Amino acid sequence: VAAIPEGLPIVLTVALAISVRRMAQRHVIIRRLPAVETLGSCSAIGSDKTGTLTENRMTVQQIDAGGRRFEVTGIGYDTRGEVDGDGSGGVRPPALERTLLVGALCNDASLLESDDGLAEVLGDPTEIALLVSAAKVGLVKDVIEDRYVRVGEIPFESERRWAATFHRDEEGDLGHFVAVKGAPERVLELCDADLNDGPLDRDGILAAAEEMAARGLRVLAMAWRDLDGPPEPSGDPGRHIERLRFTGLQGMIDPPRSEAIEAVRGCQAAGIRVVMITGDHATTALAIADRLGIASPGDPVLTGAEMERIDDGELDRLVGDVAVFARVSPEHKLRIVTALQRNGHTVAVTGDGVNDAPALKAADIGAAMGRSGTDVAKEAADMVVTDDNFASIFAAVEEGRVAFDNVRKTTFFLISTGTAAVIAVLASLIFRFPLPFLPAQMLWLNVVTNGIQDVALAFEPGEKDVLRRRPRPRREGVVSALLWERTAIAGAVMAIGTLLVFFWELNAHDDLAMARTAALTTMVLFQVFHVGNSRSEHRSAFARSPLLNPLLFVGTIVSLAIHVAALYLPFTQFILRVVPLDLETWIRMVAVAASIIVVVELHKLVRGPRTAPARKPLAA
């Protein structure tokens, strides 16, 4: 009974369940209970950019069309802005108007303007931003779609990085045409002229896109092609996506979340690497990463195209220095996760699409987005972030560390008190002393008095330094080498103290029942004092107020009260074979039991807390 901590499975389940409840309050739903413990050892987080690190409220700020740069005023989904420099008298340059028209037509979002200019929107934030920019010059989607009827489409795919829609002009001026939007470098590959069929300045367009991306703008290119007729229903519509005419660029900002900036800083203080994984342009990704504190200007950025040209060995080497991965596909995300794991990291990764499922499965902790995530992504993940916010992932890591700490504290408490009872019984057998406990008394000690405190210890709030420690290695056991050492010392002290009280009372009163009652009560008092020692691995028991965990405070009083009542109630006296104790004996027992605080405090002072520095954010 003493050697086996039978309460440990219960405490483990309670501690994890408490953390699951706390995480739910912080917008994280745990789908698999072991993920709570794994979060406590997380050392790298691979996060998507849009919507997780940023607000996911795109606003077009710049348009480059016809060799001119236009500034777009207004923020968010407010359509009461304008495009500066779009000409006088309401006459807009053709390239600008065509760029805005393509953005509004090659679009599956919806926008309903209201009297105050704040639109009701539905759809992808990038496409909503394109609708808002078009609406600022009077190109309202519902109106233009009545004229330019969609007759076909090619949806966006990460491998292509462009989308196209086919239209018919009901008024007959433009006939049939195709509108294309996508990544500038990919759209330019499909173009051979500008809007006026003039020569295409590819280098100039790419330089303009690079300049806009350097400001942290996400840049999309727009293109157009007139068709002789509608695409054939049974044919390949993709054959029309060539010899396009380039119309212009739209650059939109998606500002970083303020809470994500703080969370990234907290991760780095906790020794956790934060890696940005995005499909955006490398320059845009680095600019946003700089604002978030993930990377600095001039830091290396690894693109999906570059990853295609290197093997896993080279990727393993580079992943230790690269914090920003751009233009990546879901297949690249999976390679990044496995490379981080081969570098010794415990990896959490975010995802929302169907194709993200392999990476979510491969990661130590897969985090699916609750708002934008697909059902497939959520099913593959270990947890779901209900507000799609990176700060919630960081909060989950904090709760994971607290949960593991509580499991460790409770395990130490159970094993050290069990060790004390084992040593006391074995010593009595070896030296042929009378047994200090009867079997019923040992059951009472383990199940009743000990059982209340160990469960209450699972509710212990996190310590102040929980996010300033380096991540715990996955292979590290629940009880560290330091705690094993402390377990041996504390167990020996409690066993010796119990036996001293036992023999003192036996010699003083020559009453075995009284001596056993004193030994049992001394062990109960040792537990009362020792549970305070167990509340922190390194901090003094006097540094944490007992009211921080009111359940433990009340539970300790209740367990002691139950035992005291058992000493004086006839029914429990008969069951446990105990007798009442006088005041002098109580004073002696309390004095002996209090010695465990002195011994453990000295051990904490000598061994000291962990002072190892947190892992640098970009270290391997």
Side-chain angles (χ1 to χ4, degrees), residues 115-394:
D115 294 337
D116 59 3
L118 295 176
E120 296 181 15
V121 297
L122 178 65
D124 180 79
T126 300
E127 296 194 329
I128 293 171
L130 296 175
L131 291 183
V132 171
S133 67
K136 288 175 181 178
V137 297
L139 296 175
V140 180
K141 185 180 181 183
D142 290 345
V143 176
I144 61 176
E145 280 191 336
D146 288 340
R147 174 177 175 179
Y148 306 112
V149 178
R150 183 183 297 191
V151 295
E153 64 180 303
I154 301 177
F156 177 87
E157 288 188 5
S158 56
E159 293 79 9
R160 285 195 300 260
R161 300 209 304 276
W162 56 262
T165 54
F166 299 85
H167 299 269
R168 180 183 67 252
D169 183 359
E170 291 294 299
E171 297 184 8
D173 295 344
L174 296 177
H176 289 85
F177 61 89
V178 59
V180 178
K181 77 171 188 292
E185 63 273 21
R186 291 291 293 121
V187 172
L188 281 173
E189 292 175 1
L190 306 171
C191 297
D192 61 1
D194 63 16
L195 184 60
N196 298 317
D197 286 329
L200 194 62
D201 182 11
R202 298 179 186 274
D203 293 339
I205 294 170
L206 289 174
E210 189 77 17
E211 180 186 347
M212 295 167 73
R215 294 183 53 187
L217 300 180
R218 183 180 186 184
V219 184
L220 290 179
M222 311 293 157
W224 180 285
R225 181 187 173 187
D226 294 311
L227 302 176
D228 295 332
E232 298 176 5
S234 59
D236 177 19
R239 65 187 178 87
H240 299 290
I241 313 302
E242 58 183 8
R243 300 191 307 277
L244 303 177
R245 290 186 292 165
F246 180 81
T247 65
L249 304 169
Q250 293 200 54
M252 58 195 73
I253 188 69
D254 184 13
R257 294 177 183 262
S258 58
E259 61 270 28
I261 297 174
E262 293 297 322
V264 168
R265 190 177 297 120
C267 284
Q268 292 168 348
I272 302 171
R273 282 198 65 195
V274 180
V275 174
M276 178 191 289
I277 304 172
T278 178
D280 279 355
H281 189 278
T283 306
T284 303
L286 185 59
I288 297 297
D290 178 37
R291 296 188 188 185
L292 287 162
I294 295 174
S296 301
D299 283 350
V301 178
L302 193 61
T303 65
E306 292 168 337
M307 288 180 62
E308 295 286 354
R309 297 193 293 267
I310 61 176
D311 59 17
D312 288 344
E314 180 68 9
L315 180 60
D316 291 350
R317 185 185 68 81
L318 291 175
V319 81
D321 300 318
V322 177
V324 180
F325 297 85
R327 290 291 193 233
V328 297
S329 66
E331 292 76 13
H332 298 143
K333 180 185 284 190
L334 176 59
R335 288 189 66 194
I336 294 167
V337 169
T338 54
L340 287 168
Q341 290 173 324
R342 288 193 294 268
N343 273 256
H345 286 287
T346 300
V347 183
V349 69
T350 67
D352 53 13
V354 173
N355 293 334
D356 287 330
L360 293 171
K361 276 286 188 183
D364 299 285
I365 308 128
M369 299 297 102
R371 291 179 179 174
S372 60
T374 61
D375 290 341
V376 173
K378 295 174 185 177
E379 186 65 29
D382 300 292
M383 67 185 200
V384 177
V385 184
T386 59
D387 61 352
D388 292 14
N389 196 333
F390 181 83
S392 298
I393 300 173
F394 178 57

